[in-house]
Amino acid sequence: MTDQAYNFAYLDEQTKRMIRRAILKGIAVPGYQVPFASREMPMPYGWGTGGVQVTAACLVPEDWLKVIDQGADDTTNAVSIRRFFQRTAGVAVTEATAEATIIQTRHRIPETPLTEGQILVYQVPIPEPLRFLEPRETETRKMHELEEYGLMHVKLYEDIARHGQIATSYAYPVKVEGRYVMDPSPIPKFDNPKLSDNPAIQLFGAGREQRIYALPPWTEAVSLDFDDHPFETSKAPHNCDLCGAKDSYLDEVITDDQGGRMFVCSDTDFCGGRRAAGHAGRLGGDQKSSKTFANSFEGIWPGAEVAR
Amino acid sequence: MTLHTSITATPLLRVEGLTKRYGPRIGCADVSFDLYPGEVLGIVGESGSGKSTLLSCLAGHQRADLGRIAYDGREVLAMSETERRRLGRTDWAFVHQNPRDGLRMGVSAGGNVGERLMAVGARHYGDIRGKAVDWLGRVEIAADRVDDRPSAFSGGMQQRLQIARNLVTGPRLVFMDEPTGGLDVSVQARLLDLLRGLVRDLGLSVIIVTHDLAVVRLLAHRLMVMKSGRVVEQGLTDQVLDDPQHAYTQLLVSSVLQV
């Protein structure tokens, strides 16, 4: 049910051409923020307008699109963007990471390893890693030009001085191929190692800030640290309560007002896949999926849904 | 860190015919001097006489229109910006009149001192912190203030912190723009005492701009007097202050209040 009033994937061909040129430049200079003429999109800034434009410029009719928000396929942002492209491009959509050719993501990298030929599109709120340390854009550009990145370490120094460890836990800066320092968008630092030497193309779009940058496949991205305070990933020290996974990134879900809580994989596809393969966590025995589980709080059970 | 105990024969900084214009007006005109290692040069003059313009041209904050600046035999004005900025955070230092211009107010004292170290590639937290604490001690700031922000410091402490932040990478040439401005007299006296000690111990070459003749009397070996963008008189500090030749210098010296 493609809406015929729009060009394929909403944007006109000239705009896509302009965005593709920015993407190519970004891929040619890994980690460099390429300015582009960001368009008004039919969604507010902060909802992924940068990512949507990059996705629109990359989409072809044969693509399989997956959209995730904080790892989940069924949250508001993911659902609305997926529907947007179903309507304006008519492409096939999927929730399976391995099946998708383009994955647009907000704040996570899927747990399932990506493969060659896949494109991962990040939604970026603030592309400039130095922004909160140096408010002047002219100055930060100069600092990138001259590779003056000492200030980035001042931030990490302050973390250790104040908290005893590097407390930055998301949007953790990386140095790309020994040249540009890049903000990997607000992904948890748990995901940082997956940025480096990834076989997929990783594209970053910031709509409001009008910047596109990229990591080509197999690009080195090193998380910044100190010799005596090396970079460490972090996650909640639990297993997933639904699928029992030990090594996936977890969300904490408050289940009642008596202090009850559970930890579940933030990557719903990964969690569902494991449960379908027979894995079960502490509370995962009788639940079908995290979506069903969420519905259970509202009294909607799988059988009841049909009856409604 | 190199110690220059004696004044050697080749100048560290050689300035020839430096001119900076703001449109039809003169910022500073035809300024020439040599600065030798370990020497302190004072620049005095009234407001608007071009001393700050001269200092910012020398430090590379502004681009001079005419003239030559040679630092350690290298042409500063012909350097690439990368080189000039590297020089600015290794061999050179700039102490602003207002510590707020020279400090990062949102960053702890330790982070402020460590910034230059990290900018030149230090990547060991323990070492950086150790050096920061050491330098805070040398400017008489207690080690337990290392994690406080400069906004929690008094004006005098902020100024001393700014000096520590600048000297931590062992610069050879320090530019100072009214370092004692805005401080009360007793704090000024302590700061001057501290500066004099540091300059002597580290063998720094200093160019210090001030309108306070007492400051140059205490610190400077040589003195340049500026008026309307031009140098009207220069010589040994005591000589210039005790036996001023130019009418303006005579006016300047006689204007100092005797308490």
Side-chain angles (χ1 to χ4, degrees), chain A residues 133-134 139 142-143 146 148 150-151 153-154 157-158 160-162 225-229, chain B residues 81-82 85 89 104 106-108 110-111 115 118-119 123-126 128-129 147 149:
Chain A
L133 304 156
E134 176 52 68
E139 185 64 17
K142 188 66 82 183
M143 290 160 82
L146 302 175
E148 287 183 2
L151 202 52
H153 274 85
V154 173
Y157 173 94
E158 286 293 291
I160 303 173
R162 206 162 295 157
D225 60 3
F226 286 105
D227 297 343
D228 49 346
H229 285 265
Chain B
E81 190 169 8
T82 321
R85 282 175 73 127
R89 55 177 195 263
R104 289 191 189 278
V107 169
S108 70
E115 181 178 344
M118 292 183 250
R123 291 291 179 265
H124 191 283
Y125 175 81
I128 295 166
R129 197 174 170 80
D147 290 333
R149 295 186 179 189

